[in-house]
Amino acid sequence: MSLYELAILGSPTGKERAVLAATIGEMIADFGLSVGTEVLLHDGQSVRKRDPRNAFAAVYFGGDKELDVDIANELKTASLPIIPTVDHLGDFGAAIPPSLQFANGLRRRSDDPALTELSAAALECVGLLRAQRRVFVSYRRTESRAAALQLHDVLNSRGFDVFLDTHDIRPGEPFQDVLWHRLVDSDVIVMLDTPSYFASRWTRQEIGRARAKEIQVIRVIWPEHTPSRLMDMAETVYLDPEELLGPDGPIVDATVDSIVLRVERLRSMSIAARYMSITGKLRADVEKIGAAVEAVGAHRAIAVRLLNERLIWAYPIVGIPSAETLNDVATKAKKAEQGEIPVLVYDHIGIRDSWIAHLAWLDEQIKAVKTIRVSEAGWALAGMDD
């Protein structure tokens, strides 16, 4: 049964269509999904047969000819997301039909032949990847400060929300509480692996806790440095001496660009791993209390049948819940015509106590959705059996 549908419209070449489909296929495989079953890919003809109950988004390739404009306008009228895209030399004003220029477009990069950025944007639109794009830079200030600042700026320019301790913790705030809070809300850790990286207990804790939360790590290894075998499973970039322009950076632009693309690809792997972890814990607790998982729906919703036959739709989420997250879950449940109040399931470990108190207040004030910690899922679900 399909849960997600994507359309490739406009003027893609045959190669571009095939590459986009292949990259999307690789990314959704991280979630245990596949093209043709849970995820359908349409062209301008088959898109009219889409299931309106499924999460949907379209990609529109601009070109010399304005193709598929009518169907794109129908999707626009239905308030469905459309991503206009042109190549790295393309002119949006000339290549994208005027009626589609309302949407923010994506310029495809010449150094991204796999169309990784475009694939990720499409999966964000259907909700498989979360809209928040968060990266944490882990480094020793004494050895890689210039490179860390460079990565912060470049990643920010590519649409990521980047945490760097010197930029993102305000004076007077509890340093470690804020750091762990931001760590657990990150999709990828960029680790600048310098000679004394593991000499600091703080950087050791950052990497250890990232791995405990199943956050993907990309390790950038300084020239002539023998890295620790503790991180052998991490995605790795080895810097040659000519790629580092100073002892602490910056790194040459081409290498930084390649690191950013790897971060983009690692996001789906990281989010999928964390989602699967929360889902696995939820399923185990459901079984413990004698309830049953009946189905998996769009937006990663899980149908749980309690002992009294009541059906609960649970939405596991990665990262830190907010009022916006609650509203998003409530909206998705309403669109799916689920009668029961949806339940948002999250991992509370690492979240600041002040934010936990905020979530408790939201739970009291917002009745359209309920939140539960995955570590207490069985207890909480059993309490709903009334």
Side-chain angles (χ1 to χ4, degrees):
M1 181 184 71
S2 64
L3 301 172
Y4 305 90
E5 300 186 47
L6 296 165
I8 303 173
L9 307 177
S11 306
T13 64
K15 181 180 180 180
E16 287 169 338
R17 185 182 294 274
V19 168
L20 182 61
T23 300
I24 288 172
E26 290 175 5
M27 287 186 171
I28 64 174
D30 297 333
F31 294 89
L33 308 176
S34 60
V35 171
T37 51
E38 297 89 356
V39 180
L40 301 182
L41 296 183
H42 293 289
D43 57 21
Q45 297 299 315
S46 66
V47 68
R48 285 193 164 93
K49 299 177 182 179
R50 70 178 185 85
D51 186 337
R53 296 171 297 179
N54 289 342
F56 175 85
V59 174
Y60 188 94
F61 282 77
D64 295 334
K65 297 180 179 179
E66 293 189 353
L67 303 177
D68 299 327
V69 177
D70 288 346
I71 183 61
N73 286 334
E74 290 175 21
L75 299 174
K76 172 187 172 184
T77 301
S79 299
L80 294 168
I82 302 174
I83 304 170
T85 179
V86 298
D87 67 25
H88 68 288
L89 297 175
D91 180 345
F92 279 98
I96 301 298
S99 61
L100 300 182
Q101 292 181 15
F102 74 98
N104 192 30
L106 185 147
R107 186 181 300 279
R108 304 189 299 279
R109 298 180 59 84
S110 60
D111 60 354
D112 184 15
L115 302 180
T116 304
E117 286 187 336
L118 185 57
S119 301
L123 295 183
E124 286 172 20
C125 286
V126 295
L128 269 173
L129 296 183
R130 62 182 190 155
Q132 299 90 345
R133 297 160 51 80
R134 297 200 167 120
V135 177
F136 187 105
V137 179
S138 179
Y139 71 109
R140 292 296 308 274
R141 294 185 192 179
T142 55
E143 292 181 318
S144 54
R145 178 179 172 82
L149 291 169
Q150 176 193 23
L151 283 164
H152 176 275
D153 292 345
V154 174
L155 285 162
N156 262 317
S157 73
R158 303 284 183 85
F160 288 96
D161 178 0
V162 188
F163 177 82
L164 194 66
D165 57 358
T166 55
H167 282 50
D168 298 287
I169 301 180
R170 299 297 303 158
E173 288 193 302
F175 185 90
Q176 290 304 136
D177 286 354
V178 174
L179 187 144
W180 301 136
H181 186 84
R182 289 298 301 267
L183 177 74
V184 302
D185 204 28
S186 296
D187 300 328
V188 177
I189 308 298
V190 178
M191 169 191 175
L192 300 184
D193 193 355
T194 50
S196 70
Y197 181 89
F198 282 102
S200 165
R201 69 185 180 100
W202 298 119
T203 47
R204 290 198 306 269
Q205 287 183 18
E206 286 170 10
I207 289 301
R209 290 184 168 180
R211 296 178 73 176
K213 296 286 283 190
E214 300 183 69
I215 301 170
Q216 294 289 319
V217 176
I218 180 166
R219 179 175 58 161
V220 181
I221 300 174
W222 249 230
E224 302 174 359
H225 165 50
T226 302
S228 168
R229 295 182 62 185
L230 293 173
M231 296 300 297
D232 279 352
M233 297 301 291
E235 181 87 2
T236 301
V237 175
Y238 288 92
L239 295 180
D240 292 328
E242 61 269 20
E243 292 179 291
L244 199 63
L245 301 179
D248 67 340
I251 301 167
V252 297
D253 290 344
T255 302
V256 168
D257 288 340
S258 70
I259 291 169
V260 173
L261 277 179
R262 293 203 195 192
V263 170
E264 192 75 69
R265 178 62 185 91
L266 280 175
R267 277 187 71 227
S268 66
M269 298 172 63
S270 188
I271 292 170
R274 298 178 71 188
Y275 166 73
M276 295 296 188
S277 177
I278 293 172
T279 301
K281 292 172 184 176
L282 173 63
R283 286 178 177 268
D285 263 25
V286 166
E287 292 175 3
K288 281 181 185 177
I289 65 172
V293 171
E294 288 203 343
V296 176
H299 307 293
R300 297 176 290 191
I302 297 174
V304 177
R305 183 72 66 179
L306 301 181
L307 292 178
N308 65 349
E309 297 302 316
R310 181 182 178 186
L311 187 67
I312 298 291
W313 280 94
Y315 287 77
I317 68 111
V318 170
I320 298 173
S322 64
E324 184 178 8
T325 315
L326 269 64
N327 179 67
D328 184 52
V329 166
T331 301
K332 287 172 178 174
K334 186 176 181 180
K335 285 183 178 178
E337 298 180 354
Q338 296 163 358
E340 287 283 355
I341 294 175
V343 174
L344 183 154
V345 184
Y346 72 102
D347 181 359
H348 76 287
I349 295 174
I351 299 177
R352 292 181 67 179
D353 289 343
S354 59
W355 198 266
I356 294 291
H358 171 64
L359 288 176
W361 180 84
L362 286 176
D363 224 24
E364 293 177 359
Q365 303 301 317
I366 300 174
K367 303 303 181 184
V369 60
K370 181 175 178 60
T371 65
I372 61 175
R373 302 176 182 184
V374 70
S375 59
E376 302 168 355
W379 182 273
L381 291 171
M384 296 180 189
D385 188 5
D386 52 28

